[in-house]
Amino acid sequence: MLIIEWIKWLYEKIIYEWFFERGAETTWTYPTYPGKFGGAWGYLHIFVLIFCALTIVGLFFIYKYSKNKEKTKKIILISLSSLIALFEILIRFLYLMKRYYFVHPGYSYMNVFWIMMPKPWCAISCWLAIACPIVNKKFFYNLTSISGLICTFIYFLHPGVGYNYVIFNDFYSLATHAILFTTSISLITLKFTEFKYKTIWKVAIGFVLIYAYSFIEIFVFKFPEHGDPLYFMPNGDIQGIINGIIPSFGYAHYLILYISFVLTFINAFYLFSLIKKKKTNK
């Protein structure tokens, strides 16, 4: 009987409520369920950052002291990419179940196409990370590392979800950002990337394609929610945060800041690599 009760509890609390978010009308909604993890820069936030740092260092030492470095770093990359792929599959399975099986009222706007496509910048970067072992090109590693670090930098600086609630959606966001952050830095520390100005045009084309996809999302697909996947549209989340600090900060100011930040962020990798190379050659 005890085993049966335990299985029933497991189904109701872990599968039925936590994963599928059933009963959301009462106890599991985002606004009403009490925060348990301290929010942004609470203890879970700091713990995750420390865990990511320790994982990155640990993976580097595994690579550094391995007998077959090439094989080791490929195994690490495939493992990280597979973890991201697992979460991407799980979240889509969850959305499909909530939309078409449980008919959750909060997901009525979704269709199969909306569910399957990557939407915010971090999801797009996750798909790049998943494709890394398949593409296996330096420029693609560069693109994935930079893109992943831009969006995870913004997320960990001011996370919107993942640190206040305990449903699977938030766990998914927290886990994928942590794995993507770890993957993006590990691509550099494990020497997958090679930042040379003579090949920066390939990464530039990659970003042009990412932005082109973003414009298609906004103006062609017109996805409800995630209407600003790369955070450049007027009155977006990031501009709202800045406006909370500087009320007079208009969209023109934000756009100048946004473009400057993205270009500087991308250039920093190549500039640092060039400076490092010159110091090594002295």
Side-chain angles (χ1 to χ4, degrees):
M1 287 296 294
L2 185 62
I3 295 174
I4 294 173
E5 288 297 318
W6 184 83
I7 293 172
K8 184 180 177 182
W9 176 88
L10 181 69
Y11 173 76
E12 289 180 352
K13 296 297 181 184
I14 305 299
I15 305 298
Y16 194 64
E17 291 188 6
W18 181 71
F19 192 76
F20 288 118
E21 204 181 334
R22 297 300 296 154
E25 297 80 7
T26 53
T27 59
W28 290 85
T29 51
Y30 293 94
T32 58
Y33 195 79
K36 296 293 185 182
F37 303 118
W41 296 104
Y43 62 88
L44 179 61
H45 188 172
I46 295 169
F47 170 79
V48 170
L49 287 174
I50 293 171
F51 181 79
C52 287
L54 292 175
T55 303
I56 291 163
V57 172
L59 293 176
F60 172 74
F61 279 111
I62 291 171
Y63 161 76
K64 184 178 180 179
Y65 293 106
S66 63
K67 293 181 179 179
N68 190 331
K69 287 183 170 55
E70 285 299 314
K71 183 179 179 181
T72 299
K73 74 178 190 178
K74 285 180 180 178
I75 291 172
I76 291 171
L77 176 61
I78 291 170
S79 299
L80 291 170
S81 298
S82 299
L83 269 176
I84 295 173
L86 174 64
F87 276 101
E88 290 298 298
I89 292 168
L90 274 175
I91 197 66
R92 281 159 178 79
F93 170 70
L94 176 142
Y95 283 152
L96 286 169
M97 289 292 289
K98 287 198 283 192
R99 172 65 181 87
Y100 293 104
Y101 182 75
F102 290 113
V103 196
H104 192 296
Y107 295 83
S108 58
Y109 62 87
M110 295 182 182
N111 56 41
V112 174
F113 184 67
W114 186 99
I115 291 169
M116 291 302 171
M117 298 301 289
K119 286 163 285 294
W121 197 335
C122 291
I124 295 168
S125 296
C126 281
W127 281 39
L128 292 177
I130 292 168
C132 270
I134 302 168
V135 178
N136 192 28
K137 297 290 184 181
K138 289 287 184 183
F139 83 89
F140 200 81
Y141 293 135
N142 293 352
L143 174 65
T144 302
S145 180
I146 297 171
S147 179
L149 283 173
I150 289 176
C151 58
T152 53
F153 172 80
I154 293 169
Y155 173 81
F156 282 116
L157 189 64
H158 191 86
V161 292
Y163 295 98
N164 284 324
Y165 312 105
V166 288
I167 58 174
F168 180 79
N169 281 29
D170 297 283
F171 178 71
Y172 155 81
S173 180
L174 175 60
T176 50
H177 282 93
I179 301 167
L180 179 61
F181 179 70
T182 301
T183 303
S184 300
I185 294 182
S186 294
L187 287 173
I188 301 171
T189 58
L190 303 184
K191 304 185 187 305
F192 283 101
T193 57
E194 188 177 47
F195 299 106
K196 294 181 178 179
Y197 274 112
K198 67 180 181 180
T199 60
I200 195 173
W201 63 271
K202 296 180 180 180
V203 171
I205 291 174
F207 272 100
V208 167
L209 293 174
I210 290 173
Y211 275 91
Y213 172 73
S214 176
F215 274 98
I216 291 170
E217 274 194 20
I218 296 167
F219 298 108
V220 179
F221 299 153
K222 297 180 180 179
F223 286 141
E225 291 200 0
H226 308 298
D228 186 17
L230 301 189
Y231 319 119
F232 60 79
M233 293 292 285
N235 303 313
D237 293 341
I238 297 176
Q239 186 187 350
I241 294 168
I242 297 173
N243 283 145
I245 303 169
I246 310 171
S248 60
F249 197 83
Y251 179 63
H253 303 107
Y254 173 73
L255 201 57
I256 292 169
L257 177 65
Y258 177 92
I259 294 170
S260 301
F261 170 77
V262 172
L263 292 178
T264 302
F265 199 98
I266 295 170
N267 183 66
F269 291 86
Y270 292 87
L271 183 61
F272 178 79
S273 180
L274 181 63
I275 293 170
K276 184 180 178 182
K277 184 178 179 180
K278 286 184 176 181
K279 285 185 176 180
T280 305
N281 292 336
K282 283 184 179 180

